[in-house]
Amino acid sequence: KMNLDGILYNPYLGQNQHFKKEDVYDFKLEQTKDKKVLWKKLKGAVEKGEKASLKVEVSNTDRAFGSILGSEITSRYKNGLPEDTITLNCTGAGGQSFGAFIPKGLSICLTGDCNDYMGKGLSGGKITVTAPAKRTDKAEDNIIIGNVALYGATSGEAYINGVAGERFAVRNSGATAVVEGVGEHGCEYMTGGRVAVLGKTGKNFAAGMSGGIAYVLDVENVLYKNLNKAMISIEKVDNKYDKKELKNLIEAHVAATGSELGQKVLDQFDMYLPHFKKLIPNEYKKMITLSAKLEEKGLNSEQAQMEAFYESIGVKH
């Protein structure tokens, strides 16, 4: 609180404190790679809305890489730019919050690995993380990104050529993601979007998941041991719409990352398909079923979804 003399009063400490400008923390944004490299070289393309690409080496000290560039795009284009207008081809190690909040039109492709919070708040942009071509092990056997990737993502795409750490896609509300394995608490509190996991999950998968759909490749039939079943249904991928959606997700993953595992699944799709499990929240399933019926009665997709939502929560509209 501030009194009439401009003095800050902290009610918890019970003392007056003068505001000292020299004590304000300097985040040194001008020294970030976004300001020193990205904005300097891409400012013209962003302002004109023209396609451009840039090769950049990154290290784990480059935190929130791409976020400032993304904010410059958002400040000029409310709905972002056309897909892949600005592409950053990165090599090295992504720091914390790599690609956080990036908007539509900005794509970041990383060859290397990445720290925690990758794609936090993803807002329409695209992130791909690919294992280096020269390696002695399988990409799907190694963790390539850290914990809490895609936390609170609202839209956009992410393709991960390897395994993610814990709490992958927590609170995801609209982004699409494909990954080759996840740690514990994957898809926790997810409310929308699509996630395909081409491998194992850790414990407590789908806890509190109230929306969206997750497809999990469960070759060893052990997924049931790791699921939090409180709010979800477990189904086979057996209708033509789900089959098409799943195949499209894997095709996009292979196109973005060159995933050997993804290509193997595509080459033998009919063989792998029975091993996929579709996880869908019970209430969400009711809503999309009702929405489909309303569309059949003549409502457009948006109207049907809104009416279905209101009916699912017991509100007359």
Side-chain angles (χ1 to χ4, degrees), residues 1 43 66 70 112 141 155 168 172 204 206 216 250 271:
K1 296 180 180 180
K43 179 179 179 181
D141 291 339
S155 56
F168 181 80
N172 173 31
N204 204 36
V216 180
I250 301 171
M271 185 192 79

Side-chain angles (χ1 to χ4, degrees), residues 261-273:
L261 174 60
Q263 188 61 60
K264 181 180 178 182
V265 173
L266 289 176
D267 291 342
Q268 304 175 70
F269 190 70
D270 290 339
M271 185 192 79
Y272 277 101
L273 189 60

Side-chain angles (χ1 to χ4, degrees), residues 182-186 199-207 216 218 221-229 232 279:
V182 298
E184 297 181 358
H185 315 294
K200 297 178 181 179
T201 74
K203 294 184 294 184
N204 204 36
F205 190 84
V216 180
D218 184 27
N221 199 32
V222 294
L223 177 62
Y224 71 95
K225 297 179 181 179
N226 292 330
L227 283 179
N228 186 312
K229 307 176 187 67
I232 62 167
L279 309 179

Side-chain angles (χ1 to χ4, degrees), residues 19-280:
F19 171 75
K20 297 179 180 179
K21 186 176 180 180
E22 61 272 20
D23 288 343
V24 174
Y25 186 78
D26 182 4
F27 289 95
K28 297 181 171 57
L29 296 182
E30 295 302 324
Q31 296 180 21
T32 63
K33 199 152 283 182
D34 275 62
K35 286 285 191 178
K36 291 173 65 177
V37 179
L38 304 186
W39 186 235
K40 283 186 177 180
K41 295 190 176 183
L42 295 169
K43 179 179 179 181
V46 170
E47 291 180 338
K48 296 175 183 177
E50 297 177 343
K51 288 182 73 73
S53 63
L54 186 66
K55 291 183 178 180
V56 189
E57 289 189 12
V58 294
S59 73
N60 59 9
T61 59
D62 295 318
R63 297 181 179 88
F65 177 85
S67 297
I68 294 176
L69 177 62
S71 73
E72 296 288 356
I73 293 173
T74 302
S75 68
R76 290 165 173 77
Y77 308 96
K78 181 180 178 181
N79 298 315
L81 289 165
E83 187 175 351
D84 298 327
T85 299
I86 305 295
T87 301
L88 306 177
N89 295 304
C90 306
T91 55
Q96 288 191 354
S97 299
F98 183 86
F101 306 106
I102 64 171
K104 181 182 177 185
L106 177 55
S107 298
I108 305 181
C109 309
L110 172 63
T111 300
D113 56 18
C114 197
N115 220 311
D116 297 344
Y117 284 100
M118 184 214 79
K120 176 176 64 178
L122 185 68
S123 302
K126 184 192 298 182
I127 300 175
T128 66
V129 183
T130 306
K134 293 182 179 180
R135 60 182 189 272
T136 58
D137 44 30
K138 294 181 179 179
E140 64 268 25
D141 291 339
N142 288 276
I143 296 175
I144 195 171
I145 64 172
N147 300 324
V148 209
L150 301 179
Y151 176 85
T154 60
S155 56
E157 304 168 58
Y159 302 103
I160 315 303
N161 181 209
V163 179
E166 297 182 359
R167 287 191 158 86
F168 181 80
V170 170
R171 297 193 184 278
N172 173 31
S173 64
T176 296
V178 183
V179 64
E180 298 175 10
V182 298
E184 297 181 358
H185 315 294
C187 297
E188 189 179 34
Y189 304 125
M190 191 165 124
T191 62
R194 296 292 185 272
V195 171
V197 183
L198 307 182
K200 297 178 181 179
T201 74
K203 294 184 294 184
N204 204 36
F205 190 84
M209 182 178 170
S210 61
I213 293 172
Y215 299 101
V216 180
L217 180 57
D218 184 27
V219 173
E220 297 178 6
N221 199 32
V222 294
L223 177 62
Y224 71 95
K225 297 179 181 179
N226 292 330
L227 283 179
N228 186 312
K229 307 176 187 67
M231 298 174 65
I232 62 167
S233 295
I234 309 165
E235 303 178 355
K236 295 179 179 179
V237 184
D238 55 8
N239 74 60
K240 63 180 182 180
Y241 303 106
D242 291 339
K243 290 178 184 177
K244 187 176 188 313
E245 180 172 67
L246 174 59
K247 192 169 187 179
N248 287 346
L249 286 171
I250 301 171
E251 286 175 342
H253 178 61
V254 172
T257 68
S259 168
E260 295 173 2
L261 174 60
Q263 188 61 60
K264 181 180 178 182
V265 173
L266 289 176
D267 291 342
Q268 304 175 70
F269 190 70
D270 290 339
M271 185 192 79
Y272 277 101
L273 189 60
H275 296 290
F276 275 97
K277 304 292 194 308
K278 174 187 174 183
L279 309 179
I280 181 169

